[in-house]
Amino acid sequence: MLAVRDLMTREVATVDPQLTLREAVELFSTRHVSGAPVTASGRLVGVLSASDVLAFEAETPGVPTERPALELEDLDEPAEWVEGEEAPAAFFNDQWSDAGADVLERFAEVSGPEWDYLAEHTVADAMTPVLCSVAPFVDVYTAADYMIRAGVHRLVVMEDGRLVGILSSLDIVRAVAQRRLVAQGPEVRSIRREGADIRH
């Protein structure tokens, strides 16, 4: 029977907790992955997935890019500006005061009308600190069952306290497509499950 070590990805892309979410997403895109372990000073501290980034983005209010039009009756009669008084441009600053950013900073941002939210936050802000780990000798059926129960798409593979790989749901699907998994009766799987080393 296939074990986790037979299907796992050994060359694991990791991300630092201080990396911006924008940089992490770009790494995911470049490496064609949907998540990665988070390591700090060689120690595993969490996992960041595309789902984590989406959930973080969804929970955060967006920056408004437009304002409702003012009615003419809401506007004061134009007055001549007197030196020493508040400048007329303060009106626009007041209108954008709840957007969380200074107007001058907004003008300096030339790449778009709103902030790049992913560039403003780090991996540590969105990562999942709870790790679902599995030993490399665990059979694939037990690992797949664990993924379903934990509601995750990847397991961190640990051996002697070291990160040695990642087993993703895609790795298992690939093995099924290649007909590498052989169906076995529930008795065999339950025997193997009793000796499995799974940590949550």
Side-chain angles (χ1 to χ4, degrees):
M1 172 179 297
L2 287 177
V4 167
R5 68 167 63 88
D6 300 318
L7 301 183
M8 71 183 190
T9 300
R10 295 175 187 276
E11 293 183 18
V12 181
T14 62
V15 292
D16 186 276
Q18 297 309 310
L19 201 66
T20 69
L21 289 175
R22 168 66 56 204
E23 291 167 327
V25 167
E26 288 171 358
L27 174 70
F28 290 176
S29 177
T30 303
R31 295 290 298 263
H32 304 289
V33 297
S34 60
V38 183
T39 57
S41 302
R43 191 172 60 89
L44 196 59
V45 294
V47 175
L48 180 72
S49 69
S51 298
D52 292 327
V53 177
L54 288 173
F56 184 75
E57 177 75 18
E59 291 170 2
T60 309
V63 177
T65 57
E66 58 184 53
R67 292 285 181 191
L70 292 173
E71 300 296 330
L72 288 177
E73 55 266 15
D74 294 337
L75 298 175
D76 296 330
E77 287 293 321
E80 199 169 307
W81 178 64
V82 178
E83 191 170 341
E85 290 184 0
E86 187 176 52
F91 166 81
F92 297 102
N93 195 30
D94 293 342
Q95 285 293 302
W96 285 89
S97 62
D98 67 341
D102 182 72
V103 172
L104 292 177
E105 291 178 37
R106 287 178 165 278
F107 287 158
E109 180 62 47
V110 296
S111 62
E114 65 245 359
W115 293 121
D116 180 355
Y117 193 73
L118 296 181
E120 296 293 318
H121 292 275
T122 65
V123 166
D125 296 331
M127 72 180 194
T128 300
V130 178
L131 294 171
C132 293
S133 66
V134 66
F137 60 79
V138 172
D139 71 84
V140 174
Y141 291 102
T142 302
D145 182 59
Y146 182 33
M147 284 176 153
I148 292 168
R149 287 186 288 111
V152 296
H153 293 284
R154 68 191 49 78
L155 296 174
V156 178
V157 185
M158 302 290 289
E159 187 171 34
D160 299 327
R162 294 181 304 112
L163 173 66
V164 294
I166 289 284
L167 179 71
S168 70
S169 52
L170 183 59
D171 294 325
I172 296 173
V173 169
R174 187 178 294 116
V176 169
Q178 295 170 347
R179 302 186 187 286
R180 294 178 66 192
L181 295 178
V182 178
Q184 294 185 341
E187 315 80 33
V188 176
R189 279 181 289 184
S190 63
I191 290 169
R192 289 189 177 271
R193 187 174 292 130
E194 288 173 13
D197 180 15
I198 292 180
R199 301 181 186 90
H200 189 179

